[in-house]
Amino acid sequence: MTPSTLRIGYRYRPARLAPEYDAIVIGSGMGGLTTAALLSELGWKVCVLEQHYTAGGYTHSYERNGYEWDVGVHYIGDVGAQTQTRKMFDFLSGGRLEWAPMAAEYDRFYIGDKVFNAKAGKQEFRDNLLRQFPDEQQAIDDYMKLLAGSGGALSAFGMGRAMKPWQQSLAQPFLNWKTPDVFFRNTYDVLRELTDNKDLIAVLCGQWGDMGLPPKQSTFMVHAMIARHYLYGGYYPVGGAWKIADSIIPKIQKAGGEVFTYARVNQILVEDGKVRGVEMKDGHRIDCDCVISSAGVDNTFNHLLSADVVEQSSYENKLANVQPSFAHLGVYVGLARTAEELGLPRTNYWIYPSNDYDAAVDAFLKDKHAPFPVVYISFPSAKDPDYLNRHPGTATIEIVAPAPYEWFAEWRDSTWGKRGEDYDNFKAQLGERLMEHLYDKVPQTRGQVDYFEVSTPLSTDWFGGYHHGELYGLAHTPERMQQKWLRPQTLIPGLWLTGQDVLTCGVTGAMMAGMLTTMSMVGTRKMAPLMKQIYS
Ligand SMILES: Cc1cc2nc3c(=O)[nH]c(=O)nc-3n(C[C@H](O)[C@H](O)[C@H](O)COP(=O)(O)OP(=O)(O)OC[C@H]3O[C@@H](n4cnc5c(N)ncnc54)[C@H](O)[C@@H]3O)c2cc1C
């Protein structure tokens, strides 16, 4: 397979580095780029180091055989009006990022042999649920109230993470008062108190794949955050997901910084108890007393810091309270006809074997021949009004499904594209199974597929640096969401965290983590004018 030619960022060479930087950011995902761009706006010169050959982390796209696919962006909510999310995207991208709305029915759920959907708009969402479940008005209205009531608590949760420990202690009574009882309970238990209708619970949890945990394992807080995020529908970045990073990088360059690709950090250097810089894979040392890691908690504490530093700073015990999220398979499909010709929808499909999501996950983890507990199908070229300008006469489809990393662990030390026949056969079988789901739900695509390829958790490790193939960094369990040490400021002076592990997964979750990290670093006094500029 030939590597993608779609590249953004500047290829790292030691000679291309500036003599000095105010900060180093490890990882060019949404968390890293947001932090770097906001610091740049405040006059910092920031060096972003990305191990992949293109910038953007999970927001990157790739091209092969004349097709272009995204790896970690299918839809983004809350950008159809002048919301806080939209204002932040506008600011970071200098207004260059445009959004295309999906269909009003943005998510469709195939649950066993029944079909339900989610409709854009708070009232439309509620009324549509009621049409599908006419006997459940009370439960539906109670659910909408729970969502509405969680807005302030979600903001307070975020602000709590940005506070210093002493500020957090002082603010704790207020934060507790703001936090509804249901927040850290599991999603299923909370919804079960509203209704015993299992189909309704399944529909309300139909987006569980957006956080990677089925309802009996997930936190209601994250469920509510995602449900609110998409309440007004789904949007797609015009020109493809790679436009996100492409539109943010100029802000970093304008302040004298740069986003380097092929730039793998081997170690965060800590000397005399303080951060002193990083050592690159090629052995080059970059001195800087401020390092922000957006490479995830597992990478930062288990791979980039020495074991001594982790032990001395007492992170070892804390790490026992968090686990990696699920790993996944991706199928990237290319068709030599357009989305319009094929009648592909601007709706995501979620396919479930039954309304008991947790049981389906358990069965699948025990037996790889059991039905996939969820199959997600997305139609990016149908969502992107600019796609045909870049790839005329074609269409693309992406399929995502869970798969444990352990199934592939025996090939972990092999090289991408050269993992051998057994691996290729195994992933081809899995890919064929997933393609059958596509043909079942979109039968007109049968016979029209020109090309498809399959990614496994090893691809996620290879390209994204996630050593367990994690889909969303740390698993969003109730226990994880209550770990107060998952915050921007670490116990190691000069080391900061950002990205999806600080707050929650999602492009917006990582972006908001970037904002919180910047605020923690510079303080609210310096941040206030910038916030005013962004949100006015
Ligand atoms: C299949 C899939 C579908 C998704 N769909 C959506 C969606 O539709 N909508 C949505 O909002 N979210 C979606 N997400 C989630 C979203 O993409 C992520 O939560 C978010 O982009 C994470 O951003 P981040 O900056 O925290 O991490 P990342 O984007 O993962 O960035 C971390 C970066 O660090 C780099 N790195 C790691 N180690 C090193 C090192 N040693 N040296 C240098 N660089 C290093 C990695 O290469 C990576 O680029 C999806 C994710 C996946 C996997």
Side-chain angles (χ1 to χ4, degrees), residues 96-361:
R96 283 182 290 269
L97 200 53
E98 293 176 73
W99 299 97
M102 292 171 62
E105 182 197 340
Y106 58 94
D107 271 334
R108 184 178 301 168
F109 311 115
Y110 294 92
I111 301 174
D113 53 7
K114 298 179 185 163
V115 187
F116 303 93
N117 56 48
K119 282 247 167 94
K122 197 198 280 186
Q123 192 62 41
E124 292 81 351
F125 179 84
R126 180 252 176 212
D127 294 348
N128 179 54
L129 274 178
L130 195 57
R131 263 193 300 279
Q132 297 172 99
F133 298 95
D135 300 333
E136 294 290 337
Q137 180 169 350
Q138 188 64 48
I140 292 167
D141 287 338
D142 289 347
Y143 174 74
M144 297 305 289
K145 268 190 219 136
L146 271 184
L147 289 192
S150 56
L154 287 165
S155 306
F157 177 85
M159 292 314 291
R161 290 286 151 111
M163 290 174 185
K164 296 189 187 323
W166 66 267
Q167 291 170 321
Q168 221 173 35
S169 304
L170 277 182
Q172 203 55 54
F174 170 75
L175 295 175
N176 291 346
W177 171 71
K178 270 284 192 191
T179 307
D181 296 343
V182 292
F183 236 39
F184 298 117
R185 291 177 56 205
N186 83 50
T187 309
Y188 183 83
D189 285 351
V190 174
L191 298 182
R192 188 67 186 73
E193 280 173 9
L194 303 182
T195 178
D196 54 10
N197 186 320
K198 292 198 171 140
D199 280 341
L200 176 58
I201 293 177
V203 171
L204 297 177
C205 297
Q207 298 165 335
W208 74 257
D210 285 335
M211 72 169 112
L213 277 181
K216 287 181 186 160
Q217 294 184 48
S218 67
T219 326
F220 181 77
M221 174 203 153
V222 183
H223 167 90
M225 189 203 73
I226 289 171
R228 287 171 58 93
H229 182 65
Y230 291 117
L231 207 49
Y232 293 91
Y235 290 79
Y236 186 83
V238 176
W242 63 276
K243 285 280 182 189
I244 298 176
D246 192 54
S247 63
I248 299 174
I249 290 173
K251 202 178 263 297
I252 300 163
Q253 290 168 328
K254 197 170 156 210
E258 190 50 271
V259 176
F260 290 105
T261 53
Y262 291 97
R264 182 181 283 272
V265 173
N266 236 9
Q267 210 187 342
I268 299 170
L269 301 169
V270 179
E271 291 159 5
D272 301 326
K274 291 184 184 149
V275 161
R276 296 293 181 202
V278 297
E279 182 196 87
M280 303 300 288
K281 191 183 168 201
D282 63 7
H284 187 79
R285 174 181 170 126
I286 310 177
D287 290 316
C288 192
D289 56 12
C290 176
V291 171
I292 302 138
S293 177
S294 185
V297 159
D298 176 54
N299 267 323
T300 308
F301 293 102
N302 293 324
H303 299 277
L304 293 173
L305 287 165
S306 75
D308 288 357
V309 170
V310 175
E311 200 186 327
Q312 280 158 22
S313 51
S314 76
Y315 276 104
E316 220 179 6
N317 298 337
K318 298 179 170 68
L319 290 167
N321 298 322
V322 291
Q323 297 88 37
S325 55
F326 274 4
H328 76 288
L329 298 169
V331 185
Y332 302 89
V333 186
L335 304 104
R337 293 180 65 194
T338 67
E340 198 182 346
E341 285 164 353
L342 290 162
L344 303 182
R346 289 180 298 132
T347 301
N348 304 317
Y349 289 4
W350 299 85
I351 304 162
Y352 298 104
S354 78
N355 63 12
D356 192 342
Y357 300 157
D358 286 84
V361 170

Side-chain angles (χ1 to χ4, degrees), residues 439-453:
Y439 298 139
D440 180 44
K441 297 296 180 268
V442 196
Q444 67 273 30
T445 56
R446 200 183 278 279
Q448 301 294 337
V449 171
D450 172 47
Y451 176 78
F452 79 89
E453 63 184 52

Side-chain angles (χ1 to χ4, degrees), residues 27 29-31 50-51 57-58 71-72 74-75 265 294 464 466 499-500 506-507:
M30 196 62 199
E50 168 55 53
Q51 56 92 30
Y58 268 141
V71 300
H74 299 119
Y75 62 151
V265 173
S294 185
Y466 287 99
Q500 60 187 348
V507 175

Side-chain angles (χ1 to χ4, degrees), residues 403-536:
Y405 180 85
E406 293 67 41
W407 291 1
F408 304 90
E410 62 181 282
W411 297 286
R412 65 153 55 99
D413 296 324
S414 56
T415 301
W416 176 80
K418 295 178 191 155
R419 299 197 199 275
E421 215 176 303
D422 288 350
Y423 172 81
D424 288 343
N425 289 342
F426 182 41
K427 74 172 188 167
Q429 282 165 22
L430 293 164
E432 291 292 351
R433 274 175 69 186
L434 290 170
M435 288 297 283
E436 281 308 317
H437 284 278
L438 170 67
Y439 298 139
D440 180 44
K441 297 296 180 268
V442 196
Q444 67 273 30
T445 56
R446 200 183 278 279
Q448 301 294 337
V449 171
D450 172 47
Y451 176 78
F452 79 89
E453 63 184 52
V454 181
S455 75
T456 73
L458 297 188
S459 324
T460 313
D461 183 1
W462 186 266
F463 293 113
Y466 287 99
H467 299 296
H468 311 272
E470 299 94 307
L471 178 67
Y472 295 131
L474 300 174
H476 291 61
T477 57
E479 195 181 19
R480 172 242 161 126
M481 297 317 294
Q482 293 177 85
Q483 299 298 311
K484 292 203 171 71
W485 60 276
L486 291 176
R487 51 198 293 277
Q489 190 169 20
T490 72
L491 298 168
I492 302 159
L495 178 64
W496 302 83
L497 301 178
T498 196
Q500 60 187 348
D501 287 350
V502 164
L503 214 49
T504 65
C505 68
V507 175
T508 305
M511 178 172 79
M512 290 307 170
M515 194 262 284
L516 291 179
T517 300
T518 314
M519 189 183 286
S520 302
M521 290 174 70
V522 304
T524 37
R525 202 169 49 82
K526 284 200 182 135
M527 193 70 178
L530 181 56
M531 298 288 276
K532 204 169 158 202
Q533 196 185 337
I534 298 170
Y535 291 125
S536 63

